Amino acid sequence: MTTFDSLFFHFFQHYKTKKSKNANSIATFYITVLQCSLLLLLGVFFAGFFRQMHVNTMSAPKAWTLFVLVTIFLYFKNWMQYGGRKRKVLNAKMLKKKKLSYNIWLLWLFPVAILGLTYILYQAT
């Protein structure tokens, strides 16, 4: 089980009691935002690195188009992965383990912090 799986089930279990019908959607949205913010951070880092090395690999509009396409792919991948039978199997495995005790507000701030770091890195290049 990956880190994203455990974070998904932590969100799913937290929102299952409060918003039972939307718990899966909220958890899928969170995992997608987290993965996309990490992807954006890596993209900005490598764009700055390649600019410093004077390597012209891809134009900015093409890079943003690629980012949007990968974001759509990640959302549908997460929707398929956590929406069906695999989620039920992983949920049964998670119930056997010790329940995670992360603060939900800190987990929501994690993608925001990554986006802030991305902005700082973008300004530095």
Side-chain angles (χ1 to χ4, degrees):
M1 185 175 311
T2 65
T3 304
F4 294 123
D5 291 341
S6 62
L7 287 175
F8 173 84
F9 285 110
H10 181 70
F11 264 81
F12 182 74
Q13 291 297 328
H14 178 77
Y15 285 109
K16 187 177 178 181
T17 58
K18 295 178 180 167
K19 300 178 184 197
S20 62
K21 292 185 179 186
N22 294 330
N24 196 30
S25 299
I26 293 170
T28 303
F29 174 76
Y30 173 77
I31 291 300
T32 304
V33 168
L34 181 64
Q35 290 174 343
C36 290
S37 63
L38 288 170
L39 180 69
L40 184 63
L41 179 64
L42 283 172
V44 168
F45 173 76
F46 283 117
F49 175 74
F50 289 146
R51 188 175 301 131
Q52 291 287 330
M53 297 300 288
H54 302 291
V55 176
N56 192 6
T57 57
M58 189 181 300
S59 66
K62 288 181 183 178
W64 283 111
T65 304
L66 182 63
F67 176 73
V68 169
L69 290 175
V70 171
T71 300
I72 292 169
F73 171 76
L74 281 174
Y75 179 76
F76 283 115
K77 179 192 75 79
N78 290 334
W79 178 62
M80 294 293 285
Q81 181 177 0
Y82 297 123
R85 184 173 176 214
K86 184 176 180 182
R87 177 184 59 91
K88 292 178 183 177
V89 170
L90 289 174
N91 194 17
K93 288 180 183 178
M94 281 299 292
L95 291 176
K96 292 179 183 177
K97 292 184 178 182
K98 181 183 167 197
K99 190 171 182 176
L100 300 173
S101 60
Y102 299 129
N103 187 350
I104 200 77
W105 292 107
L106 288 177
L107 288 178
W108 274 113
L109 286 175
F110 189 57
V112 174
I114 292 172
L115 290 174
L117 184 62
T118 303
Y119 179 73
I120 291 169
L121 190 62
Y122 179 73
Q123 293 297 319
T125 59

